[in-house]
Amino acid sequence: MTILSEQSVREFKHHLINGSNALEIKVSDHQAEQMLVHSRELMVWNKKINLTAIKKPLQIAEKHFIDSIAAASFLGNEQSVIDLGSGGGFPGIPIKIMNPSVNVVLIDSSRKKINFLKHVIRMLDLDKIDAIHSRVEDLHENNAYKNKFDAVISRAFTDLSRFVDLAAPFLNRKGTIYAMKGKNAKQEITPAILNNFNLKSDHYKLPFEKSDRLLIKLSGNKVS
């Protein structure tokens, strides 16, 4: 199904590449093409299942892909990442596109969303990435996932304290939690979080609409 005109395709890729450049992140033509495929499928499937409230191509480019690319740029040398509540594949699939060698696991409780994620993974011919249909809590004692990951990430999944509780069981000894949040996220930082983790935050603005974003990085789990 064709859902974007040739002009819309050019505008999408131009928006994506220029917006990423504004954040000092280089996106190759191949990576932009992969994200275009993901975006097209997102828009097609969104007509049948609720994947995103953002429906305009240039808004998808910025609010989903550029935002996810920004998070990918803050990752360290992690080689295994689990994305909790991945939904339409954000930030996990763009992270994989930007860092092909990283092992990525996408988790979502919606089977329809997981079917979509598996479809996109096949369309993009990505390896070392999987989409798992499960409630996050149900994987905490699963030995395939417990204490296995260098990084746990989510975008607007839940409040920070609950995300920390959900994320911590997946971390290995040197693992790091990344929470992608809006500008008011600092209000969610509790004394317990500060007592249990080393906290660093990175602020950035989406390049076109200038929305504030905050990436909260929690490392050195003191209670693991």
Side-chain angles (χ1 to χ4, degrees), residues 15-90:
H15 207 67
L16 182 64
I17 291 171
N18 283 4
S20 299
N21 284 343
L23 296 175
E24 299 183 347
I25 304 166
K26 179 171 175 53
V27 174
S28 70
D29 287 340
H30 176 64
Q31 289 167 331
E33 184 64 33
Q34 288 180 300
M35 293 181 207
L36 172 65
V37 171
H38 184 180
S39 178
R40 276 175 166 160
E41 296 306 309
L42 183 75
M43 286 185 280
V44 170
W45 281 59
N46 203 48
K47 293 179 179 295
K48 298 178 288 184
I49 64 175
N50 182 28
L51 290 167
T52 176
I54 302 167
K55 298 178 181 179
K56 294 181 179 179
L58 297 188
Q59 289 184 336
I60 289 173
E62 180 170 22
K63 292 185 176 182
H64 284 325
F65 288 94
I66 294 174
D67 196 20
S68 297
I69 291 166
S73 73
F74 290 123
L75 294 177
N77 296 317
E78 292 94 345
Q79 288 303 301
S80 56
V81 178
I82 185 168
D83 175 10
L84 305 188
S86 191
F90 307 104

Side-chain angles (χ1 to χ4, degrees), residues 16 26 31 44 50 60 65 75 79-80 89 106 111 123 127 129 141 144 157 161 171 179 181 196 203 208 213:
L16 182 64
K26 179 171 175 53
Q31 289 167 331
V44 170
N50 182 28
I60 289 173
F65 288 94
L75 294 177
Q79 288 303 301
S80 56
L106 313 172
R111 184 176 296 279
M123 288 281 293
D127 61 4
I129 182 171
E141 296 304 320
F157 178 48
S161 291
L171 293 176
K181 292 284 188 176
N196 294 330
H203 170 263
F208 301 110
R213 294 290 188 266

Side-chain angles (χ1 to χ4, degrees), residues 133-145:
H133 174 235
S134 177
R135 293 172 67 250
V136 170
E137 299 92 327
D138 294 341
L139 296 177
H140 281 168
E141 296 304 320
N142 186 319
N143 288 331
Y145 304 99

Side-chain angles (χ1 to χ4, degrees), residues 99-115:
N99 300 279
S101 66
V102 174
N103 289 279
V104 175
V105 175
L106 313 172
I107 306 296
D108 204 277
S109 61
S110 166
R111 184 176 296 279
K112 289 180 179 179
K113 290 179 180 178
I114 291 299
N115 289 341

Side-chain angles (χ1 to χ4, degrees), residues 167-219:
F170 296 107
L171 293 176
N172 60 31
R173 287 183 59 203
K174 296 183 179 180
T176 302
I177 294 172
Y178 294 91
M180 297 173 66
K181 292 284 188 176
K183 63 180 179 180
N184 297 321
K186 288 187 177 179
Q187 299 172 9
E188 299 181 22
I189 299 171
T190 64
I193 290 173
L194 293 174
N195 286 339
N196 294 330
F197 294 90
N198 300 312
L199 184 146
K200 179 182 177 183
S201 62
D202 290 287
H203 170 263
Y204 59 99
K205 286 181 181 285
L206 294 182
F208 301 110
E209 68 163 36
K210 304 302 181 185
S211 296
D212 287 286
R213 294 290 188 266
L214 195 71
L215 186 86
I216 295 174
K217 177 180 178 180
L218 302 171
S219 59

